Amino acid sequence: MARKKADTLRSKYDAFLGNHPLMGDVIVCTSVAAALIGLFLFVAFSGFGSSAEFIYNQF
């Protein structure tokens, strides 16, 4: 008696996108927007955008 193979995450994702074709674009756009917002917040509030002298003085 053979066991049934478990569905992989990729097969579930492909099946979901097959039923909801526009959701793939929404997922990609949301991921890119979150990455850009995260990068902006990091640069704006971490002091990474400060002058080199300020950064070197921290070490």
Side-chain angles (χ1 to χ4, degrees), residues 10-22:
R10 177 64 190 220
S11 64
K12 290 179 183 180
Y13 180 73
D14 289 339
F16 177 78
L17 288 183
N19 294 331
H20 306 91
L22 293 178

Side-chain angles (χ1 to χ4, degrees), residues 6-55:
D7 290 336
T8 62
L9 184 60
R10 177 64 190 220
S11 64
K12 290 179 183 180
Y13 180 73
D14 289 339
F16 177 78
L17 288 183
N19 294 331
H20 306 91
L22 293 178
M23 286 301 290
D25 296 336
V26 171
I27 291 170
V28 169
C29 290
T30 304
S31 300
V32 169
L36 290 175
I37 290 170
L39 184 62
F40 171 75
L41 292 175
F42 172 75
V43 171
F45 297 112
S46 68
F48 190 72
S50 301
S51 68
E53 184 177 324
F54 174 73
I55 294 172

